[in-house]
Amino acid sequence: MDIWYADGKFVPEDEAFVSARDLAVLRGFGVFDFLRTYHRKPFYLEAHIDRFFRSADVIGLKIPMSKKETASVIEETLSRNPHLEEANIRFVFTGGSSPDNTLPADNAGKFYVMVSRKQECPASWYSDGVKTITVDQKRAFPEAKSIDYIAAIQAQRQAKSVGAVEALYTDEKKRVLEATTCNFFIVKNGKLVTPGDGILRGITRMALLELLDGKIDVEIRDISLNEALDADEAFITASNKEIVPVVRINDSVIGDGKVGKTVKQVTAWFREMTDRY
Ligand SMILES: Cc1ncc(COP(=O)(O)O)c(C=O)c1O
């Protein structure tokens, strides 16, 4: 059984509890972040912690810990799970109990760190690419990784029902923003394009942008739905998926419907980087 950190204590995962009075349970008020290890080293831990604090700021939740303390609890949780070759790490800060069950009280929030065996995605996603759908939905606080994934659950259900792996959010301006748990990129005439507004700033996206600097042209700007459907290639990125080629959006085939050469090249560079991490 994995050992988790639950509000000040390291406990077997089955003994990590949240109070039913917590605003996370009553109102969906809380933030989290999620990352993975490479060679047992948490990938871009600092960037994930920065985003965790930014998410809390965006929704107005105060985390009464320093970033350094947060990092050391995460590292300690990982070190108490030596049986995990590679891990997924999820850390959560809840709203805590509140006298009126609505407004957060000072210093009431609870911090949890959950580690588990790194989940693998099906190999066919990478070799053949995946189908996605679009859904006309938006996240309430796009820049925050809040615990509210209601829109994502609805959209993923819809995706699964038609054999798609992910759903891309489109907004009233018919922009494609991101997927429910991934960022979105297209390739057109050898150039990469990825949105910069209305999205969660993914750490995989950030690591990839750093890596591609000077190697390939990348434009950070809105992508219209028409442009996405007309792309030469498309892919999604996330901590638990890395880079997954998208070969179909709704009923439209992207490019020639096969995994394209740019996504293959970008994936190879990413793999080289993570192999060395
Ligand atoms: C809405 C959303 N966008 C993008 C991402 C990708 O972020 P990251 O690369 O940090 O995993 C996630 C990750 O869960 C997400 O939930």
Side-chain angles (χ1 to χ4, degrees), residues 51 139 145 149 178-183 200 202-204 238-239:
R51 183 173 69 183
R139 293 165 60 241
K145 205 160 162 67
Y149 268 58
E178 60 186 334
T180 65
T181 62
C182 305
N183 289 116
L200 181 79
I203 307 301
T204 319
S239 298

Side-chain angles (χ1 to χ4, degrees), residues 156-167:
Q156 282 192 18
R157 267 200 194 125
Q158 215 178 308
K160 295 270 147 59
S161 73
V162 294
V165 158
E166 253 289 15

Side-chain angles (χ1 to χ4, degrees), residues 153-193:
I153 292 170
Q154 311 293 327
Q156 282 192 18
R157 267 200 194 125
Q158 215 178 308
K160 295 270 147 59
S161 73
V162 294
V165 158
E166 253 289 15
L168 300 163
Y169 292 126
T170 52
D171 69 359
E172 63 288 348
K173 294 184 195 154
K174 285 278 167 235
R175 298 182 299 176
V176 182
L177 301 169
E178 60 186 334
T180 65
T181 62
C182 305
N183 289 116
F184 180 62
F185 288 73
I186 58 167
V187 181
K188 189 74 192 176
N189 301 326
K191 254 191 209 166
L192 258 60
V193 189

Side-chain angles (χ1 to χ4, degrees), residues 93-123:
F93 196 81
T94 71
S97 312
S98 134
D100 68 357
N101 292 327
T102 302
L103 288 174
D106 287 343
N107 291 327
K110 309 284 185 200
F111 183 51
Y112 297 83
V113 182
M114 300 160 226
V115 294
S116 53
R117 194 164 55 83
K118 157 91 185 52
Q119 297 293 309
E120 301 298 334
C121 298

Side-chain angles (χ1 to χ4, degrees), residues 231-246:
D232 298 332
E233 300 176 44
F235 61 90
I236 49 179
T237 63
S239 298
N240 63 344
K241 298 188 182 69
E242 301 177 316
I243 299 168
V244 177
V246 170

